CSV table of all heavy atoms in Angstrom, one decimal:
chain,number,residue,atom,x,y,z
A,298,MET,N,29.2,16.9,24.8
A,298,MET,CA,30.2,17.8,25.3
A,298,MET,C,29.6,19.1,25.8
A,298,MET,O,28.7,19.7,25.1
A,298,MET,CB,31.2,18.2,24.1
A,298,MET,CG,32.2,19.2,24.5
A,298,MET,SD,33.3,19.6,23.0
A,298,MET,CE,34.3,20.9,23.8
A,332,VAL,N,22.1,26.0,29.9
A,332,VAL,CA,23.1,25.0,29.6
A,332,VAL,C,23.1,24.7,28.1
A,332,VAL,O,22.1,24.6,27.5
A,332,VAL,CB,22.8,23.7,30.4
A,332,VAL,CG1,23.9,22.7,30.1
A,332,VAL,CG2,22.7,24.0,31.9
A,334,LEU,N,24.9,22.1,25.2
A,334,LEU,CA,25.6,20.9,24.9
A,334,LEU,C,25.8,20.8,23.4
A,334,LEU,O,25.0,21.2,22.6
A,334,LEU,CB,24.9,19.7,25.4
A,334,LEU,CG,24.6,19.6,26.9
A,334,LEU,CD1,23.8,18.3,27.3
A,334,LEU,CD2,25.9,19.6,27.7
A,335,ARG,N,26.9,20.1,23.0
A,335,ARG,CA,27.2,19.9,21.6
A,335,ARG,C,27.5,18.4,21.4
A,335,ARG,O,28.4,17.9,22.1
A,335,ARG,CB,28.3,20.8,21.1
A,335,ARG,CG,28.5,20.6,19.5
A,335,ARG,CD,29.8,21.3,19.1
A,335,ARG,NE,31.0,20.6,19.6
A,335,ARG,CZ,32.2,21.1,19.5
A,335,ARG,NH1,32.4,22.3,18.9
A,335,ARG,NH2,33.2,20.5,20.0
A,336,ASP,N,26.8,17.7,20.5
A,336,ASP,CA,27.1,16.3,20.3
A,336,ASP,C,27.2,15.6,21.6
A,336,ASP,O,28.2,14.9,21.9
A,336,ASP,CB,28.3,16.1,19.4
A,336,ASP,CG,28.2,16.7,18.0
A,336,ASP,OD1,27.1,16.6,17.4
A,336,ASP,OD2,29.2,17.3,17.6
A,337,ALA,N,26.2,15.7,22.4
A,337,ALA,CA,26.2,15.2,23.8
A,337,ALA,C,26.2,13.7,23.8
A,337,ALA,O,25.5,13.1,23.1
A,337,ALA,CB,25.0,15.8,24.6
A,338,ALA,N,26.9,13.2,24.8
A,338,ALA,CA,26.9,11.8,25.0
A,338,ALA,C,25.6,11.4,25.8
A,338,ALA,O,25.1,12.3,26.5
A,338,ALA,CB,28.1,11.4,25.8
A,339,PRO,N,25.2,10.2,25.7
A,339,PRO,CA,23.9,9.8,26.4
A,339,PRO,C,24.0,10.1,27.9
A,339,PRO,O,23.0,10.6,28.5
A,339,PRO,CB,23.8,8.3,26.1
A,339,PRO,CG,24.5,8.1,24.8
A,339,PRO,CD,25.6,9.1,24.8
A,340,GLU,N,25.1,9.9,28.5
A,340,GLU,CA,25.2,10.1,30.0
A,340,GLU,C,25.1,11.6,30.3
A,340,GLU,O,24.6,11.9,31.4
A,340,GLU,CB,26.5,9.5,30.6
A,340,GLU,CG,27.8,10.0,29.9
A,340,GLU,CD,28.2,9.1,28.7
A,340,GLU,OE1,27.3,8.4,28.2
A,340,GLU,OE2,29.4,9.2,28.3
A,341,GLU,N,25.6,12.5,29.4
A,341,GLU,CA,25.4,13.9,29.7
A,341,GLU,C,24.0,14.3,29.6
A,341,GLU,O,23.5,15.1,30.5
A,341,GLU,CB,26.2,14.7,28.6
A,341,GLU,CG,27.7,14.6,28.8
A,341,GLU,CD,28.5,15.4,27.7
A,341,GLU,OE1,28.2,15.1,26.5
A,341,GLU,OE2,29.3,16.3,28.1
A,342,VAL,N,23.2,13.8,28.6
A,342,VAL,CA,21.8,14.1,28.5
A,342,VAL,C,21.0,13.6,29.7
A,342,VAL,O,20.1,14.2,30.2
A,342,VAL,CB,21.3,13.6,27.2
A,342,VAL,CG1,19.8,13.9,27.1
A,342,VAL,CG2,22.0,14.2,26.0
A,343,LEU,N,21.4,12.4,30.1
A,343,LEU,CA,20.7,11.8,31.2
A,343,LEU,C,20.9,12.5,32.5
A,343,LEU,O,20.1,12.6,33.4
A,343,LEU,CB,21.1,10.3,31.4
A,343,LEU,CG,20.6,9.4,30.2
A,343,LEU,CD1,21.2,8.0,30.4
A,343,LEU,CD2,19.1,9.4,30.1
A,344,ALA,N,22.1,13.1,32.6
A,344,ALA,CA,22.5,13.9,33.8
A,344,ALA,C,21.6,15.2,33.8
A,344,ALA,O,21.1,15.6,34.9
A,344,ALA,CB,23.9,14.3,33.8
A,345,MET,N,21.4,15.8,32.7
A,345,MET,CA,20.5,17.0,32.6
A,345,MET,C,19.1,16.6,32.8
A,345,MET,O,18.3,17.4,33.4
A,345,MET,CB,20.7,17.6,31.2
A,345,MET,CG,22.0,18.2,30.9
A,345,MET,SD,22.5,19.6,32.0
A,345,MET,CE,23.8,18.8,33.0
A,346,LYS,N,18.7,15.4,32.4
A,346,LYS,CA,17.3,14.9,32.7
A,346,LYS,C,17.1,14.9,34.2
A,346,LYS,O,16.0,15.3,34.7
A,346,LYS,CB,17.1,13.5,32.1
A,346,LYS,CG,15.8,12.8,32.4
A,346,LYS,CD,15.7,11.4,31.8
A,346,LYS,CE,14.4,10.8,32.1
A,346,LYS,NZ,14.2,10.5,33.5
A,349,PHE,N,17.0,18.7,35.6
A,349,PHE,CA,15.8,19.5,35.2
A,349,PHE,C,14.5,18.8,35.2
A,349,PHE,O,13.5,19.3,34.9
A,349,PHE,CB,16.1,20.1,33.8
A,349,PHE,CG,17.3,21.0,33.7
A,349,PHE,CD1,18.2,20.7,32.8
A,349,PHE,CD2,17.4,22.1,34.6
A,349,PHE,CE1,19.4,21.6,32.7
A,349,PHE,CE2,18.5,22.9,34.5
A,349,PHE,CZ,19.5,22.7,33.5
A,351,LEU,N,13.4,16.3,33.3
A,351,LEU,CA,12.8,16.3,31.9
A,351,LEU,C,12.0,15.0,31.6
A,351,LEU,O,12.3,14.0,32.2
A,351,LEU,CB,14.0,16.4,30.9
A,351,LEU,CG,14.9,17.6,31.0
A,351,LEU,CD1,16.1,17.5,30.0
A,351,LEU,CD2,14.2,18.9,30.9
A,352,HIS,N,11.1,15.2,30.7
A,352,HIS,CA,10.2,14.0,30.4
A,352,HIS,C,11.0,13.0,29.6
A,352,HIS,O,11.8,13.4,28.7
A,352,HIS,CB,9.0,14.5,29.6
A,352,HIS,CG,7.9,13.5,29.5
A,352,HIS,ND1,7.9,12.4,28.7
A,352,HIS,CD2,6.7,13.4,30.3
A,352,HIS,CE1,6.8,11.7,28.9
A,352,HIS,NE2,6.1,12.3,29.8
A,353,GLU,N,10.8,11.7,29.9
A,353,GLU,CA,11.6,10.7,29.3
A,353,GLU,C,11.4,10.6,27.8
A,353,GLU,O,12.3,10.2,27.0
A,353,GLU,CB,11.3,9.3,30.0
A,353,GLU,CG,9.9,8.9,29.9
A,353,GLU,CD,9.7,7.6,30.6
A,353,GLU,OE1,10.7,6.9,30.9
A,353,GLU,OE2,8.5,7.2,30.9
A,354,LEU,N,10.2,10.9,27.3
A,354,LEU,CA,9.9,10.8,25.9
A,354,LEU,C,10.7,11.9,25.1
A,354,LEU,O,11.3,11.6,24.0
A,354,LEU,CB,8.4,10.9,25.6
A,354,LEU,CG,7.6,9.7,26.1
A,354,LEU,CD1,6.1,10.0,25.7
A,354,LEU,CD2,8.0,8.4,25.4
A,355,ALA,N,10.7,13.1,25.7
A,355,ALA,CA,11.5,14.2,25.1
A,355,ALA,C,13.0,13.9,25.1
A,355,ALA,O,13.7,14.1,24.1
A,355,ALA,CB,11.2,15.5,25.8
A,356,VAL,N,13.5,13.3,26.2
A,356,VAL,CA,14.9,13.0,26.3
A,356,VAL,C,15.2,11.9,25.2
A,356,VAL,O,16.3,11.9,24.6
A,356,VAL,CB,15.2,12.5,27.7
A,356,VAL,CG1,16.6,11.9,27.7
A,356,VAL,CG2,15.1,13.6,28.7
A,357,GLU,N,14.3,11.0,25.1
A,357,GLU,CA,14.5,9.9,24.1
A,357,GLU,C,14.7,10.5,22.7
A,357,GLU,O,15.5,10.1,21.9
A,357,GLU,CB,13.4,8.9,24.1
A,357,GLU,CG,13.6,7.7,23.2
A,357,GLU,CD,12.4,6.7,23.3
A,357,GLU,OE1,11.6,6.9,24.2
A,357,GLU,OE2,12.3,5.8,22.5
A,358,ASP,N,13.8,11.4,22.4
A,358,ASP,CA,13.9,12.1,21.0
A,358,ASP,C,15.2,12.8,20.9
A,358,ASP,O,15.8,12.8,19.8
A,358,ASP,CB,12.7,13.1,20.9
A,358,ASP,CG,11.4,12.4,20.7
A,358,ASP,OD1,11.4,11.2,20.4
A,358,ASP,OD2,10.3,13.0,20.8
A,359,ALA,N,15.6,13.5,21.9
A,359,ALA,CA,16.9,14.3,21.9
A,359,ALA,C,18.1,13.3,21.7
A,359,ALA,O,19.1,13.7,21.0
A,359,ALA,CB,17.0,15.1,23.1
A,360,LEU,N,18.0,12.2,22.3
A,360,LEU,CA,19.1,11.2,22.2
A,360,LEU,C,19.2,10.5,20.8
A,360,LEU,O,20.3,10.4,20.3
A,360,LEU,CB,19.0,10.1,23.3
A,360,LEU,CG,19.3,10.5,24.7
A,360,LEU,CD1,19.0,9.4,25.7
A,360,LEU,CD2,20.9,10.8,24.8
A,361,HIS,N,18.0,10.2,20.3
A,361,HIS,CA,18.0,9.4,19.1
A,361,HIS,C,18.2,10.3,17.9
A,361,HIS,O,18.8,9.9,16.8
A,361,HIS,CB,16.7,8.7,18.9
A,361,HIS,CG,16.6,7.5,19.9
A,361,HIS,ND1,15.4,6.8,20.0
A,361,HIS,CD2,17.5,7.0,20.7
A,361,HIS,CE1,15.6,5.9,21.0
A,361,HIS,NE2,16.9,6.0,21.4
A,362,GLY,N,17.8,11.6,17.9
A,362,GLY,CA,18.0,12.5,16.8
A,362,GLY,C,17.1,12.2,15.6
A,362,GLY,O,16.2,11.3,15.7
A,363,GLN,N,17.4,12.8,14.5
A,363,GLN,CA,16.7,12.6,13.2
A,363,GLN,C,15.2,12.8,13.4
A,363,GLN,O,14.3,12.1,12.9
A,363,GLN,CB,16.9,11.2,12.7
A,363,GLN,CG,18.4,10.9,12.5
A,363,GLN,CD,19.0,11.7,11.4
A,363,GLN,OE1,18.4,12.2,10.5
A,363,GLN,NE2,20.3,11.9,11.5
A,364,GLN,N,14.8,13.9,14.2
A,364,GLN,CA,13.4,14.1,14.5
A,364,GLN,C,12.9,15.2,13.5
A,364,GLN,O,13.6,16.0,13.0
A,364,GLN,CB,13.3,14.7,15.9
A,364,GLN,CG,13.7,13.7,17.0
A,364,GLN,CD,12.8,12.5,17.0
A,364,GLN,OE1,11.5,12.6,16.9
A,364,GLN,NE2,13.4,11.3,17.1
A,365,ARG,N,11.6,15.1,13.2
A,365,ARG,CA,10.9,16.1,12.4
A,365,ARG,C,10.8,17.4,13.3
A,365,ARG,O,10.5,17.3,14.5
A,365,ARG,CB,9.5,15.6,12.1
A,365,ARG,CG,8.7,16.6,11.3
A,365,ARG,CD,7.3,15.9,11.0
A,365,ARG,NE,6.3,16.9,10.5
A,365,ARG,CZ,6.2,17.1,9.2
A,365,ARG,NH1,6.9,16.4,8.3
A,365,ARG,NH2,5.3,18.0,8.8
A,366,PRO,N,11.0,18.6,12.7
A,366,PRO,CA,10.9,19.8,13.5
A,366,PRO,C,9.5,19.9,14.2
A,366,PRO,O,8.5,19.6,13.6
A,366,PRO,CB,11.1,20.9,12.5
A,366,PRO,CG,12.0,20.3,11.4
A,366,PRO,CD,11.5,18.8,11.4
A,367,LYS,N,9.6,20.2,15.5
A,367,LYS,CA,8.3,20.2,16.3
A,367,LYS,C,8.5,21.0,17.5
A,367,LYS,O,9.6,21.3,18.0
A,367,LYS,CB,7.9,18.8,16.6
A,367,LYS,CG,8.9,18.0,17.4
A,367,LYS,CD,8.5,16.6,17.7
A,367,LYS,CE,9.5,15.8,18.5
A,367,LYS,NZ,9.1,14.4,18.7
A,369,GLU,N,6.7,20.7,21.4
A,369,GLU,CA,5.7,19.9,22.3
A,369,GLU,C,5.8,20.4,23.7
A,369,GLU,O,6.9,20.8,24.2
A,369,GLU,CB,6.1,18.4,22.2
A,369,GLU,CG,5.9,17.8,20.8
A,369,GLU,CD,6.3,16.3,20.7
A,369,GLU,OE1,7.1,15.9,21.6
A,369,GLU,OE2,5.8,15.6,19.8
A,371,TYR,N,5.4,19.3,27.7
A,371,TYR,CA,5.5,18.2,28.7
A,371,TYR,C,5.3,18.9,30.0
A,371,TYR,O,6.3,19.3,30.6
A,371,TYR,CB,6.8,17.5,28.6
A,371,TYR,CG,6.9,16.6,27.3
A,371,TYR,CD1,7.6,17.1,26.2
A,371,TYR,CD2,6.4,15.4,27.2
A,371,TYR,CE1,7.7,16.4,25.0
A,371,TYR,CE2,6.5,14.6,26.1
A,371,TYR,CZ,7.2,15.1,25.0
A,371,TYR,OH,7.3,14.4,23.8
A,374,THR,N,7.3,22.2,30.8
A,374,THR,CA,8.5,22.3,30.0
A,374,THR,C,8.1,22.2,28.5
A,374,THR,O,7.2,21.4,28.1
A,374,THR,CB,9.4,21.1,30.3
A,374,THR,OG1,9.8,21.1,31.7
A,374,THR,CG2,10.7,21.1,29.4
A,375,LEU,N,8.7,23.1,27.7
A,375,LEU,CA,8.6,23.1,26.3
A,375,LEU,C,9.8,22.3,25.7
A,375,LEU,O,10.9,22.5,26.1
A,375,LEU,CB,8.5,24.5,25.7
A,375,LEU,CG,7.2,25.2,25.6
A,375,LEU,CD1,7.3,26.5,24.9
A,375,LEU,CD2,6.2,24.3,24.8
A,376,PHE,N,9.5,21.5,24.7
A,376,PHE,CA,10.5,20.8,24.0
A,376,PHE,C,10.4,21.1,22.5
A,376,PHE,O,9.4,20.9,21.9
A,376,PHE,CB,10.4,19.3,24.2
A,376,PHE,CG,11.4,18.4,23.4
A,376,PHE,CD1,12.7,18.6,23.5
A,376,PHE,CD2,10.9,17.5,22.5
A,376,PHE,CE1,13.6,17.8,22.8
A,376,PHE,CE2,11.8,16.7,21.7
A,376,PHE,CZ,13.2,16.9,21.9
A,377,ALA,N,11.5,21.7,21.9
A,377,ALA,CA,11.5,22.0,20.5
A,377,ALA,C,12.7,21.3,19.8
A,377,ALA,O,13.7,21.2,20.4
A,377,ALA,CB,11.7,23.6,20.4
A,378,VAL,N,12.4,20.9,18.6
A,378,VAL,CA,13.4,20.3,17.7
A,378,VAL,C,13.4,21.1,16.4
A,378,VAL,O,12.4,21.4,15.8
A,378,VAL,CB,13.1,18.9,17.4
A,378,VAL,CG1,14.1,18.3,16.5
A,378,VAL,CG2,13.0,18.0,18.7
A,379,MET,N,14.6,21.5,16.0
A,379,MET,CA,14.8,22.3,14.8
A,379,MET,C,15.9,21.6,14.0
A,379,MET,O,16.9,21.0,14.6
A,379,MET,CB,15.2,23.7,15.0
A,379,MET,CG,14.1,24.5,15.7
A,379,MET,SD,14.6,26.2,16.2
A,379,MET,CE,15.8,25.8,17.4
A,393,GLY,N,21.7,19.3,10.4
A,393,GLY,CA,22.0,19.0,11.8
A,393,GLY,C,20.7,19.2,12.5
A,393,GLY,O,19.6,19.4,12.0
A,394,GLU,N,20.8,19.1,13.9
A,394,GLU,CA,19.6,19.2,14.7
A,394,GLU,C,19.9,19.9,16.0
A,394,GLU,O,21.0,19.8,16.6
A,394,GLU,CB,19.2,17.8,15.0
A,394,GLU,CG,17.8,17.7,15.7
A,394,GLU,CD,17.4,16.2,15.7
A,394,GLU,OE1,16.9,15.7,14.7
A,394,GLU,OE2,17.4,15.6,16.8
A,395,VAL,N,19.0,20.8,16.4
A,395,VAL,CA,19.1,21.5,17.6
A,395,VAL,C,17.8,21.2,18.4
A,395,VAL,O,16.7,21.4,18.0
A,395,VAL,CB,19.2,23.0,17.4
A,395,VAL,CG1,19.2,23.8,18.7
A,395,VAL,CG2,20.5,23.4,16.6
A,396,SER,N,18.0,20.7,19.6
A,396,SER,CA,16.9,20.4,20.5
A,396,SER,C,17.0,21.4,21.7
A,396,SER,O,18.1,21.7,22.2
A,396,SER,CB,17.0,19.0,21.1
A,396,SER,OG,17.0,18.0,20.0
A,397,ILE,N,15.8,21.9,22.1
A,397,ILE,CA,15.8,22.9,23.2
A,397,ILE,C,14.7,22.4,24.2
A,397,ILE,O,13.6,22.1,23.9
A,397,ILE,CB,15.3,24.3,22.6
A,397,ILE,CG1,16.3,24.7,21.5
A,397,ILE,CG2,15.4,25.3,23.8
A,397,ILE,CD1,15.8,26.0,20.8
A,398,PHE,N,15.1,22.4,25.4
A,398,PHE,CA,14.2,22.2,26.6
A,398,PHE,C,14.1,23.5,27.3
A,398,PHE,O,15.2,24.1,27.7
A,398,PHE,CB,14.8,21.1,27.5
A,398,PHE,CG,14.8,19.8,27.0
A,398,PHE,CD1,16.0,19.3,26.3
A,398,PHE,CD2,13.8,18.9,27.1
A,398,PHE,CE1,16.1,18.1,25.7
A,398,PHE,CE2,13.9,17.6,26.6
A,398,PHE,CZ,15.0,17.2,25.9
A,399,ALA,N,13.0,24.1,27.5
A,399,ALA,CA,12.8,25.3,28.2
A,399,ALA,C,11.7,25.1,29.3
A,399,ALA,O,10.6,24.7,29.0
A,399,ALA,CB,12.3,26.4,27.2
A,403,PHE,N,14.9,27.3,33.5
A,403,PHE,CA,16.1,26.7,32.9
A,403,PHE,C,15.9,26.6,31.4
A,403,PHE,O,14.8,26.7,30.9
A,403,PHE,CB,16.4,25.3,33.4
A,403,PHE,CG,15.3,24.2,32.9
A,403,PHE,CD1,15.5,23.5,31.7
A,403,PHE,CD2,14.2,24.0,33.7
A,403,PHE,CE1,14.6,22.6,31.3
A,403,PHE,CE2,13.3,23.1,33.3
A,403,PHE,CZ,13.4,22.4,32.1
A,405,LEU,N,17.9,24.3,28.2
A,405,LEU,CA,18.9,23.4,27.8
A,405,LEU,C,18.9,23.2,26.3
A,405,LEU,O,17.8,22.9,25.7
A,405,LEU,CB,18.7,22.0,28.5
A,405,LEU,CG,19.5,20.8,27.9
A,405,LEU,CD1,21.0,21.0,28.2
A,405,LEU,CD2,19.0,19.5,28.5
A,406,SER,N,20.0,23.5,25.7
A,406,SER,CA,20.1,23.4,24.2
A,406,SER,C,21.1,22.3,23.9
A,406,SER,O,22.2,22.2,24.5
A,406,SER,CB,20.5,24.7,23.5
A,406,SER,OG,21.8,25.1,23.9
A,407,ILE,N,20.7,21.4,22.9
A,407,ILE,CA,21.6,20.3,22.5
A,407,ILE,C,21.7,20.4,21.0
A,407,ILE,O,20.7,20.3,20.3
A,407,ILE,CB,21.1,19.0,22.9
A,407,ILE,CG1,20.8,18.9,24.4
A,407,ILE,CG2,22.0,17.9,22.5
A,407,ILE,CD1,20.1,17.7,24.9
A,408,ARG,N,22.9,20.6,20.5
A,408,ARG,CA,23.0,20.6,19.0
A,408,ARG,C,23.9,19.4,18.6
A,408,ARG,O,24.9,19.1,19.2
A,408,ARG,CB,23.6,21.9,18.5
A,408,ARG,CG,25.0,22.3,19.1
A,408,ARG,CD,25.3,23.7,18.6
A,408,ARG,NE,26.5,24.2,19.2
A,408,ARG,CZ,27.7,24.2,18.7
A,408,ARG,NH1,27.8,23.7,17.5
A,408,ARG,NH2,28.8,24.7,19.3
A,409,ASN,N,23.4,18.7,17.5
A,409,ASN,CA,24.1,17.6,17.0
A,409,ASN,C,24.3,17.8,15.5
A,409,ASN,O,23.5,18.2,14.8
A,409,ASN,CB,23.2,16.3,17.2
A,409,ASN,CG,23.0,16.0,18.7
A,409,ASN,OD1,23.9,15.9,19.4
A,409,ASN,ND2,21.7,15.8,19.0
A,410,ARG,N,25.5,17.4,15.1
A,410,ARG,CA,26.0,17.5,13.7
A,410,ARG,C,25.8,18.9,13.2
A,410,ARG,O,25.5,19.1,12.0
A,410,ARG,CB,25.2,16.6,12.8
A,410,ARG,CG,25.2,15.1,13.3
A,410,ARG,CD,24.4,14.2,12.4
A,410,ARG,NE,23.1,14.7,12.1
A,410,ARG,CZ,22.0,14.7,12.9
A,410,ARG,NH1,22.2,14.1,14.1
A,410,ARG,NH2,20.9,15.2,12.6
A,411,VAL,N,26.1,19.9,14.0
A,411,VAL,CA,26.0,21.3,13.6
A,411,VAL,C,27.4,21.9,13.6
A,411,VAL,O,28.0,22.0,14.7
A,411,VAL,CB,25.0,22.1,14.6
A,411,VAL,CG1,24.9,23.6,14.1
A,411,VAL,CG2,23.6,21.5,14.6
Side-chain angles (χ1 to χ4, degrees):
M298 174 181 177
V332 181
L334 301 177
R335 184 188 70 188
D336 297 322
E340 54 271 17
E341 291 179 303
V342 178
L343 293 177
M345 294 298 109
K346 174 182 181 295
F349 298 125
L351 304 177
H352 196 281
E353 59 182 347
L354 293 179
V356 172
E357 183 179 350
D358 288 344
L360 283 173
H361 291 171
Q363 304 295 334
Q364 297 295 313
R365 177 183 172 89
K367 60 183 179 179
E369 297 176 336
Y371 292 94
T374 302
L375 271 183
F376 174 60
V378 177
M379 296 173 292
E394 189 171 285
V395 176
S396 301
I397 306 173
F398 295 87
F403 71 88
L405 169 64
S406 65
I407 306 172
R408 56 188 176 98
N409 297 310
R410 306 180 311 281
V411 181

